[in-house]
């Protein structure tokens, strides 16, 4: 079921969007003659272009730019490609005062051919490809503007980045804009505050470091419990490792050679350098190496909710999506070559089960194979590994895309992307074969033949970063967590003081069945309490008044449905206990 | 039930042991004229004395020293106190070539009276008190020798420290020596390797940082699950906070002013200093301060299994007992003054429940009151807090000792010590009132009177450090973890290959009931497999042979008991499921 359809579609949209960004830059330079252009690529779901302008753009500017773009499109100008030398490019853009383009051209090695794309009066340094005519742009929209540093470096001037998007037809654009509007409402940074789930404290703690508030912490606890139970059931063990290690370890693992940019700076302890961990793997490998292993012990599957720290530039931090400290739902598998097929099947199946448990149904698998030049491990090992991965993919029955040569130098891998309830795609799981770390750390097992062999290693994370996954879940569910995950499952409201005793008794009985409750006994108008309860998005509310106290019943108000009739409390408890069960295989594969 | 009995007993033993250390130093200087004496205090369970000698002492030396000590005791010499000036002390010890004593004397402020204690020819600079006669020493033993740096500083010369102990009578000494022997067998560093529970990697990771292996990780997971469930049941919420923060936070919390020595060095990120956390409190306080709180929200009880890092000198690190990275079972309570009594009762009761759950029965509570001079908070607050703590202690019905003036400057506290199965005492829980951090961070709540008030804060840890607690548990249980904690609950052994299928089916059925199993299908002699199984100390073994396969039964071999008769597998499963329940209040308070 190899599929390159979505890849072709992707290329088509990327070309459209890239051409639209040229049209936008043309419009901007016509309307704002002082504007100097930087770069304007297509990106996921749209495009942007960066401009150096004396004043930031405002909403009116965006409308005028859109109007001018429509004129350019109506003129149906041709996109024309031209090849010139680097020096020609440098003088062309110097003449026009386009200093960013000059800088780009200067960085191109001498002798390489450079392509220009022109339409009308507008010329850009650009590799292409582009549409044939501006008239082929049928549906576009400018979606926003933000500051962005030239080359993403805070030392450089701040430019104005205009974001836009384009689609093949107006209907697709409308669907997308509606999705954006919905996404804005669901923004996890907004819901994070409204539902009191988490916060950051850049001034006190530092950017990109998350404080999980009690309600967020409750969801995390439920999620971790589920995750751990599923891991034990799937034959994993749990290990726990420190957040620091001496540089010795990071030299041996190769992180200081290949990954230093993403690591926090070191600290000195007793004259030795210590670094906070950006990954958990070296620790698991050390545990493996603590004694000689027998083939009878393999496969070993060791998981850890391991909190790692990675340096990200301040300007790129974004809520829970891009942070500096995050908890990976990490695991490392060690196995013999014979066990590769079954281990890959298991881990792929386990990944899809975990993702399905959170309501994700639409998957795209990405299979990345041996890079063309530099790679570690023998050709035989790569061929076998790729064959096994491919076979596992085929057996899984899920669509996949092959990324030829896209594997890491240490082994081929499978990444899993999911589409959320808004159709947005997120890469979550990764399953990476590794032929290198077992070499670096000289890992062995004694085979049935009584001689030593190298185990094969898999790095895998199913949810990826717990912080990022939490952010995705908040938006995926629009803050309406399913019953099993909801931090408060039943909110209990009283009409007046005289119902407090019954309310406490209802809460006590629910809690005795591990149902998470919250009481609102405030002396406020009922309507106000109900509206507040709705904003909190809890799965159930129970409003308790005279009638409920008298009949000793409760009338459930399920989230987003009409209030139901009164039932005995024990019936309601039974229902919630049943509905609050975490997903099982039967739920996920009905 | 205030009790100072154990304190008086403690003083009596301390005097005896201190005098015995003088007798030992006398014996050493008689036998080794080149030996120079350093210091020789009484310590928990014994005493030591440090000597500068050309050659380390060996076992024969210890026997000769004991022999000489017996002579000195037989002479029944008097201990005599004498007071001299500092300068007299300096010249006395200079004359005798006792350079360490000279250094000690020189560090005493001029004008202070210094006391000497003499018996026979031996004179020591010493505050006392001492026994009257050497003949009062009825039971002593030298227990070992180890290197120790002068003043504990690795830059100073290495001395030889002889450890010994003394008791009021020979029987008490015998009991203690037997306990030491047993403790040696149970040493968690030894069992940690034998049972594959954890390891350290000083060269790769650094000293005092623990790797929890799969079996240790399994115990930790069970323990954490239990802990979390109990916390939710006791009205706590869970929060999660990062392991780093900017120095801004540590300045505000006062840690950089008062606690810097115990903190790891900083690291620079984007020109700002970050430090790994030595405590979790400032983060919880930040979350509290994220929005205005109402008295209706209080009490708030926020718990976190928070991994902290504290600098300890390399030479003092010891297995799981003294480490540099550990996970505190931390929580912070925020409440109104009105709520103090009930919150203290709850937390004290909860502490004792948690400790009882791990089989600790013998407690000593330590109540530390306002320091005489420097303290924060009003006298009224202290008086109320001390009164409430005392009342809570009295209500708890547990023995306590009052440590007058022993509280922290920020508030009074209760520490809980437990005696383990060898009678050794460990300080585990701590419950500390804090009047200062709510000031430092300007914490408020809006009271029923609609004005702002300061909440009172409690820091508490029930188990203390998870690493240290795990070390104590290993020794307390001698590695024989109770069924609910055991990493493997049932070990399944086969007599021969033909029993493997049944063994796998038994394992599958046990696992389906969440019973943790391990299979030994190796082609080894049964006796060998059983002996290995015994060394692993799992609660149950099942040996499966022809008869079991034919009858579809299992014959349990409980740890440390005789093999039992065959029962249907379902009966065994029911029994293990029942026995493996974590402790409940009914178990703990039968």
């Amino acid at each position: 079921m190899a599929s390159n359809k979505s890849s072709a579609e992707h290329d088509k949209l990327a070309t459209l969007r890239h051409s639209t960004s040229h049209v936008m830059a043309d419009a901007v330079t016509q309307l704002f003659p002082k504007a100097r252009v930087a770069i304007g690529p297509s990106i996921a779901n749209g495009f942007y272009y960066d401009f150096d302008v004396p004043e930031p753009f405002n909403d009116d500017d965006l409308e005028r730019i859109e109007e001018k773009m429509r004129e350019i499109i109506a003129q149906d100008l041709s996109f024309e490609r031209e090849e010139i030398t680097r020096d020609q490019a440098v003088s062309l853009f110097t003449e026009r005062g386009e200093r960013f383009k000059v800088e780009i051209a200067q960085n191109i090695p001498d002798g390489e051919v450079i392509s220009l794309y022109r339409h009308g009066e507008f010329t850009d340094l650009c590799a292409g490809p582009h549409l044939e005519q501006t008239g082929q742009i049928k549906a576009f929209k400018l979606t926003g503007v933000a500051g962005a540093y030239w080359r993403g470096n805070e030392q450089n001037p701040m430019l104005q980045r205009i974001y836009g998007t384009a689609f093949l037809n107006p209907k697709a654009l409308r669907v997308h804009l509606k999705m954006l509007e919905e996404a804005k409402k669901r923004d996890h940074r907004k819901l994070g505050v409204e539902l009191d789930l988490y916060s950051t404290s850049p001034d006190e703690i530092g950017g990109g470091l998350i404080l999980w508030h009690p309600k967020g912490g409750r969801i995390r606890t439920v999620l971790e419990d589920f995750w751990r139970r599923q891991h034990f059931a799937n034959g994993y063990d749990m290990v726990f490792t420190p957040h620091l290690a001496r540089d010795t370890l990071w030299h041996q693992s190769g992180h200081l050679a290949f990954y230093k940019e993403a690591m926090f700076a070191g600290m000195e302890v007793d004259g030795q350098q210590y670094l906070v961990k950006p990954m958990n793997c070296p620790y698991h490998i050390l545990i493996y190496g603590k004694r000689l292993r027998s083939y009878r012990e393999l496969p070993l599957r060791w998981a850890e909710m391991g909190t790692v720290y990675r340096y990200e530039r301040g300007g790129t931090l974004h809520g829970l999506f891009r942070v500096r400290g995050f908890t990976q739902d990490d695991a490392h598998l060690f196995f013999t070559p014979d066990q590769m097929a079954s281990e890959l099947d298991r881990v792929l199946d386990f990944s899809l089960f975990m993702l399905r448990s959170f309501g994700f149904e639409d998957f795209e698998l990405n299979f990345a194979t041996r890079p063309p030049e530099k790679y570690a491990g023998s050709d035989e090992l790569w061929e076998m590994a790729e064959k096994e991965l491919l076979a596992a993919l085929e057996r899984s029955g899920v669509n996949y895309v092959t990324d030829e040569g896209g594997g890491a130098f240490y082994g081929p891998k499978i990444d899993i992307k999911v589409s959320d309830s808004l159709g947005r795609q997120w890469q979550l799981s990764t399953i990476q074969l590794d032929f290198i770390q077992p070499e670096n750390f000289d890992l062995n097992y004694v085979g049935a033949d009584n001689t030593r062999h190298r185990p094969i290693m898999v790095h895998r994370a199913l949810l990826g970063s717990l912080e990022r996954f939490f952010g995705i879940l908040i938006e995926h569910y629009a803050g309406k967590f399913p019953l099993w995950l909801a931090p408060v499952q039943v909110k209990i409201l009283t009409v007046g003081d005289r119902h407090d005793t019954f309310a406490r008794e209802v809460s006590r009985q629910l809690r005795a069945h591990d149902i998470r409750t919250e009481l609102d006994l405030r002396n406020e108008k009922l309507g106000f309490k109900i509206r507040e309860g709705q904003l909190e998005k809890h799965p159930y509310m129970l409003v308790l008044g005279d009638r409920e106290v008298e009949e000793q019943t409760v009338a459930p108000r399920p989230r987003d449905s009409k209030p139901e009739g009164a039932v005995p409390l024990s019936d309601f408890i039974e229902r919630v206990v049943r509905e609050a069960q975490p997903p099982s295989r039967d739920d996920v594969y009905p």
Side-chain angles (χ1 to χ4, degrees), chain A:
Chain A
M1 292 215 296
S3 153
N4 282 298
K5 203 190 77 185
S6 68
S7 174
E9 168 116 7
H10 173 268
D11 292 349
K12 204 165 165 187
L13 274 170
T15 302
L16 168 66
R17 288 164 182 173
H18 191 180
S19 295
T20 314
S21 88
H22 275 221
V23 170
M24 176 174 79
D26 182 8
V28 168
T29 48
Q30 289 187 45
L31 293 170
F32 304 87
K34 286 188 184 152
R36 292 292 168 266
V37 296
I39 56 163
S42 80
I43 54 175
N45 296 320
F47 61 85
Y48 68 78
Y49 214 113
D50 288 346
F51 303 96
D52 187 18
V53 278
E55 296 285 325
F57 298 109
N58 58 36
D59 286 351
D60 286 347
D61 294 336
L62 291 198
E63 275 183 36
R64 285 170 59 211
I65 296 165
E66 282 185 346
E67 191 49 46
K68 177 62 77 184
M69 287 170 72
R70 278 190 282 273
E71 285 173 24
I72 298 165
I73 291 166
Q75 290 164 31
D76 200 20
L77 304 167
S78 302
F79 285 96
E80 278 158 27
R81 181 187 170 94
E82 186 185 335
E83 293 187 348
I84 58 173
T85 67
R86 186 192 67 174
D87 294 345
Q88 286 172 323
V90 169
S91 35
L92 172 71
F93 288 110
T94 305
E95 199 175 293
R96 299 187 170 201
E98 292 288 3
R99 62 191 182 88
F100 301 107
K101 294 289 174 194
V102 172
E103 194 177 320
I104 294 168
Q106 278 168 340
N107 281 326
I108 293 168
D110 194 14
E112 261 185 43
V113 171
I114 302 180
S115 61
L116 297 180
Y117 274 84
R118 297 179 195 271
H119 69 268
E121 298 299 306
F122 183 80
T123 304
D124 204 347
L125 191 63
C126 174
H130 277 280
L131 302 173
E132 288 165 12
Q133 303 284 131
T134 60
Q136 290 170 294
I137 301 172
K138 302 292 185 195
F140 77 93
K141 175 80 190 159
L142 301 190
T143 50
V145 63
Y149 294 103
W150 168 233
R151 293 186 183 278
N153 184 335
E154 290 155 53
Q155 313 301 320
N156 289 338
M158 166 80 92
L159 307 176
Q160 290 297 308
R161 173 171 298 176
I162 303 180
Y163 288 97
T165 191
F167 281 83
L168 298 179
N169 58 63
K171 190 181 163 203
L173 176 63
R174 273 199 307 278
V175 168
H176 177 74
L177 293 177
K178 208 170 150 56
M179 185 279 288
L180 282 190
E181 207 178 303
E182 180 59 28
K184 214 168 179 176
K185 283 190 222 153
R186 297 175 174 214
D187 190 318
H188 70 277
R189 293 167 303 178
K190 184 170 153 279
L191 289 177
V193 175
E194 288 171 12
L195 304 180
D196 201 9
L197 299 175
Y198 81 94
S199 66
T200 57
S201 272
D203 292 340
E204 293 90 353
I205 300 182
L209 298 171
I210 304 300
L211 294 169
W212 294 70
H213 291 199
K215 290 212 169 68
R218 192 48 130 130
I219 296 170
R220 175 163 167 172
T221 306
V222 175
L223 197 156
E224 286 192 4
D225 278 355
F226 174 70
W227 184 90
R228 261 199 296 267
R229 261 199 312 281
Q230 292 301 332
H231 275 72
F232 284 131
N234 278 275
Y236 284 73
D237 283 304
M238 294 292 145
V239 295
F240 296 84
T241 68
H243 304 91
L244 312 171
R246 289 179 57 183
D247 55 2
T248 338
L249 184 71
W250 307 113
H251 280 301
Q252 194 179 357
S253 66
H255 284 87
L256 280 175
F258 295 111
Y259 204 72
K260 199 175 175 187
E261 297 289 287
M263 292 175 74
F264 272 60
M267 62 197 113
E268 199 180 298
V269 180
D270 289 343
Q272 294 159 350
Q273 279 292 309
Y274 282 70
L275 295 113
V276 292
K277 65 175 171 186
M279 294 193 190
N280 305 300
C281 27
Y283 298 88
H284 296 196
I285 292 168
L286 277 186
I287 296 175
Y288 182 99
K290 284 286 169 175
R291 55 184 175 76
L292 189 58
R293 305 281 170 179
S294 151
Y295 73 100
R296 290 179 167 281
E297 291 180 70
L298 304 185
L300 289 169
R301 309 182 193 99
W302 292 346
E304 177 173 22
M305 279 285 182
T307 306
V308 298
Y309 292 87
R310 297 185 188 167
Y311 178 72
E312 300 273 357
R313 277 202 311 269
T316 65
L317 299 174
H318 178 97
L320 292 164
F321 286 166
R322 191 175 278 256
V323 293
R324 284 181 174 166
F326 58 96
T327 301
Q328 281 187 307
D329 74 314
D330 211 354
H332 294 93
L333 317 180
F334 302 89
F335 49 79
T336 69
D338 283 356
Q339 294 166 333
M340 196 183 313
S342 65
E343 286 307 303
L344 290 175
D345 275 357
R346 289 179 68 126
V347 72
L348 201 50
D349 176 74
F350 190 22
S351 298
L352 296 172
F353 167 74
M354 281 299 282
L355 300 175
R356 285 191 167 109
S357 298
F358 296 94
F360 298 111
E361 294 295 341
D362 188 5
F363 304 105
E364 185 184 296
L365 274 56
N366 192 86
F367 170 42
T369 64
R370 186 175 67 193
E373 290 176 23
K374 279 190 179 171
Y375 54 88
S378 70
D379 286 3
E380 292 71 39
L381 200 52
W382 274 91
E383 272 158 36
M384 183 188 67
E386 290 183 358
K387 203 174 118 251
E388 299 286 6
L389 273 174
L390 202 63
L393 280 168
E394 290 287 348
R395 282 192 298 268
S396 77
V398 179
N399 275 331
Y400 68 92
V401 177
T402 303
D403 177 7
E404 287 292 348
F409 76 95
Y410 51 78
K413 64 172 179 171
I414 295 174
D415 291 331
I416 304 181
K417 291 178 189 167
V418 304
S419 297
D420 70 10
S421 56
L422 295 183
R424 294 175 302 176
Q425 225 182 27
W426 305 94
Q427 196 213 297
L428 293 177
S429 312
T430 185
I431 302 165
Q432 310 190 347
L433 280 158
D434 186 344
F435 311 135
I436 278 298
Q437 292 292 15
E439 289 284 334
N440 286 347
F441 286 85
D442 190 23
L443 300 187
N444 297 294
Y445 64 89
V446 176
D449 61 358
N450 226 9
T451 68
R452 294 193 180 200
H453 304 268
R454 281 262 181 272
I456 295 172
M457 194 175 159
V458 159
H459 309 249
R460 53 113 278 203
L462 307 188
L463 312 176
S465 139
L466 219 55
E467 281 71 10
R468 180 165 167 273
F469 188 69
F470 185 40
I472 294 168
L473 281 189
I474 295 171
E475 302 198 2
H476 175 59
Y477 292 129
K480 295 174 182 173
F481 293 97
L483 193 60
W484 72 283
L485 278 176
V488 173
Q489 296 171 315
V490 181
K491 175 100 184 199
I492 302 164
L493 316 179
T494 48
V495 178
D497 287 355
R498 64 189 180 282
H499 313 117
D500 286 5
T501 311
F502 183 54
R504 285 189 219 276
E505 176 56 21
V506 168
S507 173
R508 197 193 60 72
Q509 288 198 35
L510 289 168
R511 284 176 175 260
H513 289 86
D514 284 332
I515 298 168
R516 304 186 283 272
T517 67
E518 201 167 78
L519 279 168
D520 185 352
L521 306 180
R522 287 176 304 167
N523 186 17
E524 302 279 359
K525 290 235 165 63
L526 182 62
F528 174 79
K529 284 160 79 163
I530 290 177
R531 273 193 305 281
E532 272 207 355
Q534 283 164 340
L535 292 177
E536 292 166 345
K537 303 178 196 288
H538 304 311
Y540 286 104
M541 275 196 279
L542 296 178
V543 177
L544 304 180
D546 289 340
R547 191 177 142 173
E548 284 75 17
V549 172
E550 193 184 317
E551 296 179 353
Q552 299 279 302
T553 55
V554 295
R557 292 171 175 246
R559 184 175 58 199
D560 297 332
S561 328
K562 290 230 166 81
E564 299 178 357
V567 291
L569 177 58
S570 56
D571 288 9
F572 179 66
I573 289 175
E574 200 186 299
R575 167 181 174 181
V576 177
V577 167
R578 192 178 59 244
E579 291 177 356
Q581 288 305 310
S584 70
R585 292 195 79 88
D586 293 342
D587 301 324
V588 162
Y589 301 97

